[in-house]
């Protein structure tokens, strides 16, 4: 609905409760004051409406943000949506070529088909710039080279080629230009237009375009077009068709549509096998790429296996390091009536007090030989003592625990080591309060705690200061 | 009738008409109108396809002198 000046005056009169004449005067005064302000300052802001700017004699208006939002209330909050992501760096080289403007060996083929499908170019343009996002998917659904054609044709180049004299392409005017282009192709364009276009092209390309126009355009284009030529593609296309037409000798006055159709057929025949060759070449290259990628799989698998093995062995070493430890320096003596499960040292000691593996390795075999014969005297005490061989351990006797190891095999090894060193070695299984199981490797068996404590002094370091006494069960 | 009241009333009338998507003609100044821009797609150089939403925007056509 249009509100004319008179409507505005009447509205103003009713809102300000004045007669229409004074309302009109008020309005005209307001406009005059606005104009005066614009003349003085070049800009005038009307609160609640917007800002007027006068630049180079042209009056422009920028609405206030609040007003603009209110006017656009239907679509408030709608932002631009990216419906197709950017090209992948290497996944689609065709698109990269298009975007970077480089002319790859594939590119001229695209331009050829662009020429072939002059009318489809317009539809391709519509698909890119049209209103419906769903149309964007259509080019990709088509097979073979046509994909590329439609995608490429959607750009400005197609419009430039088809629309001839249209130098600058406005996105908003995509439809119009597209229609123009189709008009140029489809409708019977007057020969003069073609003539002028060909003259232009002759000026630009000289003999080249004239000579090559008679040749098969499909064979010339791939090696001939450069970016500059692509820009002037429209001009070039026209002379080619014209040159061909001259060669064929058709009478002047025949429509472009007819000629271009005939040309299309001529071109299409030699073009198709070539396109297939290139398509198969592309498939081959794709296969090569995929085969090269296939080789990467076992290499990657081997690498992963190597890493896993490394961590496995490292974990074993760490396990050995952390489990082959000596328990707390204090010697918690388990009383005879105390349950083993409750009298155990807290689990953190199992891991917390870590000793260097090197120290253990140094110490384990390094028990002074002098002590062993001295300890051997204990054999006189029967099955009790620090050293000797005992076939059967006595439940209820006491032993000095030197190792507390979660790995049973490791515990067995330690026990055997101690046995080899001449000790009465004991191995017992203990369940800790946190549910974990530990294997305790001890030396000696004693009738009472005091004997065991006495025997501790006979042990070499670090066993002497890192042990505890438990009861054999 | 004061200038400040006029300065409030006239823009309010124009803005009110524009909010209803009405075209407003002010003699000596120009015509305000609300133009509808349809949703649009454009393709960036990097291959992205951007869907621009529709919008209603105010346009001003200055009066020819």
């Amino acid at each position: 609905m249009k509100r004319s000046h008179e409507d505005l005056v009447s509205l103003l009169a009713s809102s300000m409760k004045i007669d229409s004449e004074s309302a009109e005067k008020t309005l005209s005064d307001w406009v005059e004051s606005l104009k005066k302000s614009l003349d003085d300052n070049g800009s005038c802001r009307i609160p609640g409406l917007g800002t007027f700017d006068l630049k180079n004699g042209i009056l422009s208006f920028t609405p206030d943000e609040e007003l603009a939002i209110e006017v656009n209330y239907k679509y408030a909050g709608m932002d631009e949506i990216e419906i197709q992501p950017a090209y992948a760096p290497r996944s689609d080289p065709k698109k990269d070529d298009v975007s970077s403007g480089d002319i790859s060996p594939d590119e001229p083929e695209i331009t050829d088909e662009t020429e072939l499908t002059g009318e489809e170019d317009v539809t391709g343009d519509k698909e890119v710039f049209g209103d419906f996002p769903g149309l964007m998917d259509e080019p990709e659904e088509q097979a073979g080279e046509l994909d590329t054609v439609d995608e490429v044709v959607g750009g400005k180049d197609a419009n430039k080629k088809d629309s001839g004299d249209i130098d600058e392409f406005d996105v908003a005017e995509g439809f119009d230009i597209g229609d123009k282009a189709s008009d140029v192709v489809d409708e019977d364009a007057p020969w003069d237009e073609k003539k002028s276009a060909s003259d232009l092209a002759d000026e630009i390309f000289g003999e080249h375009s004239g000579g090559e126009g008679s040749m098969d355009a499909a064979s010339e284009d791939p090696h001939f077009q450069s970016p500059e030529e692509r820009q002037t593609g429209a001009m070039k296309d026209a002379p080619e068709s014209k040159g061909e037409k001259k060669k064929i000798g058709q009478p002047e006055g025949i429509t472009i549509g007819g000629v271009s159709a005939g040309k299309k057929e001529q071109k299409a025949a030699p073009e198709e096998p070539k396109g297939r060759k290139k398509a198969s070449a592309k498939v081959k290259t794709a296969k090569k790429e995929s085969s090269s990628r296939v080789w990467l799989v076992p290499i990657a698998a081997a690498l992963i296996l190597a890493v896993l093995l490394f961590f496995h062995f490292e974990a074993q070493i760490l396990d050995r390091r952390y489990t082959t430890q000596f328990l707390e320096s204090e010697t918690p003596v388990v009383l005879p009536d105390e349950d083993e499960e409750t009298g155990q040292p807290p689990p953190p000691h199992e891991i917390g007090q870590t000793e260097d593996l090197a120290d253990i390795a140094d110490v384990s075999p390094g028990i002074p030989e002098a002590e062993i014969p001295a300890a051997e005297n204990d054999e006189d005490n029967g099955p009790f003592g620090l050293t000797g061989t005992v076939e059967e351990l006595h439940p209820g006797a006491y032993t000095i625990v030197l190792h507390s190891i979660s790995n049973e095999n490791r515990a067995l090894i330690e026990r055997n080591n101690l046995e080899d060193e001449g000790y009465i070695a004991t191995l017992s299984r203990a369940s800790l309060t946190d549910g974990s199981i530990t294997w305790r490797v001890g030396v000696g068996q004693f009738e009472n705690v005091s004997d065991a404590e006495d025997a501790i002094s006979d042990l070499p370091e670090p066993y002497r200061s890192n042990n505890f006494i438990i009861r054999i069960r | 009738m004061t200038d400040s009241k006029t300065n409030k009333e006239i823009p309010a009338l124009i803005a009110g008409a524009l909010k209803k998507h009405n075209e407003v003609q002010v003699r000596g100044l120009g015509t305000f109108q609300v133009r509808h821009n349809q949703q649009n797609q454009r393709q960036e150089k990097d291959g992205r396809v951007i869907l621009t939403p529709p919008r209603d925007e105010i346009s001003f056509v200055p009066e020819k002198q």
Side-chain angles (χ1 to χ4, degrees):
Chain A
M1 180 179 169
K2 184 175 180 178
R3 291 277 168 85
S4 63
H5 184 77
E6 287 73 23
D7 295 335
L8 192 62
V9 167
S10 63
L11 277 172
L12 185 63
S14 62
S15 65
M16 296 182 74
K17 296 175 181 172
I18 53 176
D19 56 8
S20 59
E21 285 183 4
S22 52
E24 185 161 1
K25 189 175 184 304
T26 305
L27 186 58
S28 59
D29 286 348
W30 180 77
V31 170
E32 286 304 318
S33 66
L34 177 62
K35 281 186 172 180
K36 191 184 175 192
S37 175
L38 281 172
D39 288 337
D40 293 343
N41 305 323
S43 174
C44 180
R45 182 174 182 274
I46 310 292
L49 190 64
T51 306
F52 291 91
D53 289 304
L54 186 64
K55 283 181 185 174
N56 302 326
I58 298 169
L59 183 61
S60 64
F61 171 72
T62 308
D64 271 358
E65 193 175 349
E66 286 181 10
L67 179 61
I69 289 171
E70 285 194 55
V71 166
N72 190 40
Y73 68 94
K74 278 186 192 171
Y75 313 107
M78 290 177 71
D79 293 326
E80 290 185 344
I81 304 167
E82 183 181 310
I83 57 174
Q84 186 171 308
Y87 296 140
R90 289 281 300 162
S91 62
D92 199 346
K94 285 184 279 184
K95 289 183 178 181
D96 286 343
D97 292 339
V98 173
S99 62
S100 62
D102 293 333
I103 302 299
S104 69
D106 295 337
E107 182 100 356
E109 188 179 11
I110 292 164
T111 58
D112 288 346
E113 300 212 17
T114 306
E115 291 173 5
L116 277 176
T117 56
E119 295 177 4
E120 293 170 9
D121 295 349
V122 181
T123 59
D125 179 42
K126 280 181 181 176
E127 283 164 5
V128 173
F129 295 102
D131 283 340
F132 304 104
L135 288 176
M136 282 305 302
D137 299 330
E138 289 182 8
E140 295 176 1
E141 291 169 7
Q142 298 175 9
E145 292 295 313
L146 284 175
D147 288 356
T148 323
V149 172
D150 284 345
E151 285 168 13
V152 172
V153 160
K156 295 181 179 181
D157 294 341
N159 283 291
K160 284 186 178 175
K161 285 179 181 175
D162 290 340
S163 55
D165 294 332
I166 297 167
D167 292 327
E168 292 183 1
F169 176 68
D170 187 2
V171 174
E173 296 174 1
F175 279 107
D176 300 336
I177 292 170
D179 293 337
K180 283 180 191 173
S182 62
D183 293 345
V184 169
V185 175
D186 294 335
E187 294 176 9
D188 299 345
W191 179 246
D192 292 339
E193 287 184 14
K194 290 180 7 179
K195 186 94 176 174
S196 62
S198 67
D199 291 340
L200 266 175
D202 287 339
E203 286 174 12
I204 291 167
F205 298 106
E207 301 173 2
H208 191 64
S209 64
E212 302 235 345
S214 60
M215 295 167 62
D216 186 9
S219 62
E220 67 172 276
D221 281 346
H223 314 291
F224 180 54
Q225 267 198 333
S226 64
E228 290 82 10
E229 290 166 352
R230 288 190 70 194
Q231 287 181 355
T232 57
M235 290 186 246
K236 189 190 164 194
D237 291 344
E240 280 173 3
S241 62
K242 164 137 187 191
E244 192 172 355
K245 187 182 168 185
K246 279 181 178 175
K247 206 77 178 176
I248 290 166
Q250 289 180 343
E252 290 188 2
I254 272 188
T255 62
I256 288 181
V259 173
S260 60
K263 187 184 169 187
K264 278 178 200 171
E265 288 172 5
Q266 288 178 357
K267 277 190 191 175
E271 192 82 3
E272 271 186 291
K274 192 173 181 178
R276 281 177 194 165
K277 279 180 189 174
K278 292 196 175 182
S280 62
K282 282 181 185 176
V283 169
K284 281 178 186 174
T285 54
K287 280 181 182 175
K288 279 181 185 175
E289 284 181 7
S290 63
S291 62
S292 64
R293 283 174 189 162
V294 165
W295 281 106
L296 288 176
V297 172
I299 293 168
L303 278 174
I304 291 166
L305 192 64
V307 170
L308 286 175
L309 282 172
F310 173 75
F311 281 115
H312 176 68
F313 285 118
E314 195 183 50
Q316 276 193 347
I317 291 166
L318 284 175
D319 183 51
R320 184 177 171 182
R321 176 174 293 185
Y322 283 113
T323 54
T324 310
Q325 61 187 334
F326 298 101
L327 299 178
E328 53 214 334
S329 56
E330 297 172 4
T331 308
V333 177
V334 179
L335 296 176
D337 56 347
E338 196 175 37
D339 191 357
E340 186 186 358
E341 308 245 339
T342 56
Q344 287 168 357
H349 291 294
E350 304 278 334
I351 301 171
Q353 296 188 353
T354 310
E355 285 218 7
D356 195 358
L357 191 62
D359 292 344
I360 299 165
D362 289 340
V363 168
S364 296
I367 294 173
E369 292 178 359
E371 290 185 9
I372 296 173
E376 277 172 358
N377 297 332
D378 293 340
E379 287 180 2
D380 299 339
N381 296 332
F384 299 106
L386 187 63
T387 58
T389 54
V390 174
E391 292 183 357
E392 192 175 347
L393 293 171
H394 288 254
Y398 297 92
T399 186
I400 306 164
V401 175
L402 303 181
H403 300 297
S404 186
I405 300 169
S406 58
N407 188 338
E408 184 181 4
N409 293 330
R410 183 64 194 156
L412 281 168
I413 291 167
E414 291 294 336
R415 193 195 69 171
N416 293 337
N417 287 340
L418 289 168
E419 270 185 350
D420 293 344
E421 290 167 9
Y423 290 103
I424 298 170
T426 62
L427 180 64
S428 59
R429 180 177 182 271
S431 300
L432 301 183
T433 51
D434 63 350
S436 62
I437 291 170
T438 187
W439 296 89
R440 288 172 173 167
V441 182
V443 288
Q445 63 173 346
F446 307 96
E447 285 184 283
N448 50 51
V449 174
S450 60
D451 287 351
E453 284 176 338
D454 292 342
I456 287 171
S457 61
D458 295 335
L459 289 171
E461 286 291 350
Y463 298 141
R464 191 182 299 164
S465 54
N466 291 299
N467 60 64
F468 62 92
I469 298 167
I470 62 165
R471 214 172 179 185
I472 298 169
R473 290 177 181 268
Chain B
M1 183 178 67
T2 60
D3 282 343
S4 62
K5 191 179 177 185
T6 308
N7 287 337
K8 283 183 183 176
E9 201 68 34
I10 296 171
L13 282 174
I14 297 170
L18 288 174
K19 284 174 192 173
K20 295 174 185 172
H21 290 199
N22 289 334
E23 186 178 330
V24 183
Q25 182 196 14
V26 181
R27 194 171 294 163
L29 191 63
T31 305
F32 300 91
Q33 56 192 0
V34 175
R35 202 173 59 182
H36 176 72
N37 288 345
Q38 289 193 340
Q39 69 174 9
N40 199 3
Q41 289 180 38
R42 68 173 191 275
Q43 190 162 22
E44 301 288 334
K45 284 185 179 178
D46 59 0
R48 290 182 303 141
V49 177
I50 307 292
L51 176 66
T52 309
R55 60 180 289 114
D56 292 332
E57 62 181 13
I58 297 169
S59 68
F60 173 73
V61 182
E63 190 171 83
K64 289 180 183 175
Q65 307 225 342

